[in-house]
Amino acid sequence: MPRVKLQRFTDNASRPDIIEPGKPEYEQLGGRWRTDFFAAPHPLTLEVGCGKGEYTVGLAQRHPGRNFLGLDIKGERIWRGSTRAAEMGLTNVGFVRMRAEALAAQFGPGELDEIWITFPDPRPRDRDIKRRLTSPRFLGLYEQLLTPGGLLHLKTDNEGLFEFTLETLAARSGATVERFTRDLYSETDPEFTEAQAIQTNFEGKYRAIGVPIKYVQFRLT
């Protein structure tokens, strides 16, 4: 393993804003993130599959009166997000290294107020439907962990995943789509401003080659 990557893993082990397997807190924070991890018990937003943390950190900067967590399985990616947050002096943001499938083991019922899913792997093969982050399996997990009426957002460049998500929500009892668009940055309605306000490097590359960004905001109760 390259020396730089090893050093970053060592950094992660000592950073209080990163929760990962091997740290005592990893098994202890479920249901207590607001009170035991963050400095203030503000509403809690989770980004599932945060990558390098650009979106998590961007949201934390925009909303100092809320708390934000970025979830990803890749330690090097989380290191980048943690580093960016520290450079910006943010105290309302943290990161947890784990797989999304284990969400229920890490968060208590109704603990989350909002969830962002930003540019997830579209899992295009039919046999991978259950692994899509907007599959019925994952929607059931999110519903357990969100406060009643909590918001969810999906941003994606992938048309197949976007249409799959809309179809899945239409078939789900109690799901409510509040707004959606197949070309986010062509929208002038201020209701889309929050989704337009942060643009990741990955997102910028797709926009540069003319791929429209899709977005849907919904609730599950």
Side-chain angles (χ1 to χ4, degrees), residues 24-49:
E25 301 92 336
Y26 186 77
E27 305 288 343
Q28 300 171 1
L29 284 169
R32 303 199 310 243
W33 282 93
R34 287 186 182 88
T35 56
D36 291 9
F37 182 77
F38 289 102
H42 295 314
L44 179 56
T45 295
L46 175 71
E47 182 187 3
V48 180

Side-chain angles (χ1 to χ4, degrees), residues 6-25:
L6 280 173
Q7 182 58 54
R8 290 175 179 179
F9 288 167
T10 300
D11 292 344
N12 287 355
S14 65
R15 291 186 177 185
D17 64 329
I18 294 177
I19 302 300
E20 61 181 358
K23 292 187 175 183
E25 301 92 336

Side-chain angles (χ1 to χ4, degrees), residues 7 26 35 71 109 112 145 187 221:
Q7 182 58 54
Y26 186 77
T35 56
L71 180 154
L112 301 174
L145 304 179
E187 298 288 347
T221 54

Side-chain angles (χ1 to χ4, degrees), residues 28-98:
Q28 300 171 1
L29 284 169
R32 303 199 310 243
W33 282 93
R34 287 186 182 88
T35 56
D36 291 9
F37 182 77
F38 289 102
H42 295 314
L44 179 56
T45 295
L46 175 71
E47 182 187 3
V48 180
C50 69
K52 297 176 183 178
E54 295 166 283
Y55 222 89
T56 301
V57 172
L59 288 169
Q61 183 183 29
R62 282 177 56 80
H63 302 285
R66 298 179 66 91
N67 292 325
F68 296 87
L69 277 173
L71 180 154
D72 205 281
I73 193 59
K74 298 291 187 179
E76 189 174 21
R77 295 175 184 172
I78 284 176
W79 179 90
R80 292 177 182 272
S82 169
T83 299
R84 183 177 290 110
E87 290 172 348
M88 298 172 68
L90 299 174
T91 60
N92 63 329
V93 59
F95 297 89
V96 55
R97 184 168 70 83
M98 61 174 291

Side-chain angles (χ1 to χ4, degrees), residues 14-203:
S14 65
R15 291 186 177 185
D17 64 329
I18 294 177
I19 302 300
E20 61 181 358
K23 292 187 175 183
E25 301 92 336
Y26 186 77
E27 305 288 343
Q28 300 171 1
L29 284 169
R32 303 199 310 243
W33 282 93
R34 287 186 182 88
T35 56
D36 291 9
F37 182 77
F38 289 102
H42 295 314
L44 179 56
T45 295
L46 175 71
E47 182 187 3
V48 180
C50 69
K52 297 176 183 178
E54 295 166 283
Y55 222 89
T56 301
V57 172
L59 288 169
Q61 183 183 29
R62 282 177 56 80
H63 302 285
R66 298 179 66 91
N67 292 325
F68 296 87
L69 277 173
L71 180 154
D72 205 281
I73 193 59
K74 298 291 187 179
E76 189 174 21
R77 295 175 184 172
I78 284 176
W79 179 90
R80 292 177 182 272
S82 169
T83 299
R84 183 177 290 110
E87 290 172 348
M88 298 172 68
L90 299 174
T91 60
N92 63 329
V93 59
F95 297 89
V96 55
R97 184 168 70 83
M98 61 174 291
R99 295 189 181 278
E101 291 85 347
L103 275 168
Q106 193 60 254
F107 297 93
E111 186 165 22
L112 301 174
D113 296 278
E114 191 171 22
I115 292 175
W116 283 82
I117 308 164
T118 51
F119 302 96
D121 187 334
R123 307 285 183 186
R125 296 179 298 185
D126 288 344
R127 70 182 185 183
D128 285 339
I129 284 177
K130 289 184 178 180
R131 300 178 68 191
R132 296 173 187 167
L133 290 182
T134 55
S135 68
R137 170 196 182 193
F138 277 102
L139 293 182
L141 270 177
Y142 304 149
E143 188 169 13
Q144 289 179 43
L145 304 179
L146 281 164
T147 57
L151 270 177
L152 297 99
H153 313 258
L154 169 70
K155 288 180 76 174
T156 180
D157 61 286
N158 188 273
E159 185 174 353
L161 177 64
F162 184 71
E163 297 301 332
F164 167 81
T165 302
L166 293 181
E167 292 169 7
T168 302
L169 292 172
R172 186 180 182 86
S173 176
T176 303
V177 174
E178 296 205 335
R179 57 189 54 87
F180 71 94
T181 176
R182 291 178 174 83
D183 190 354
L184 175 62
Y185 291 97
S186 71
E187 298 288 347
T188 57
D189 188 327
E191 294 291 349
F192 291 101
T193 299
E194 180 76 348
Q196 295 168 334
I198 302 169
Q199 180 175 297
T200 67
N201 182 60
F202 177 88
E203 187 175 356

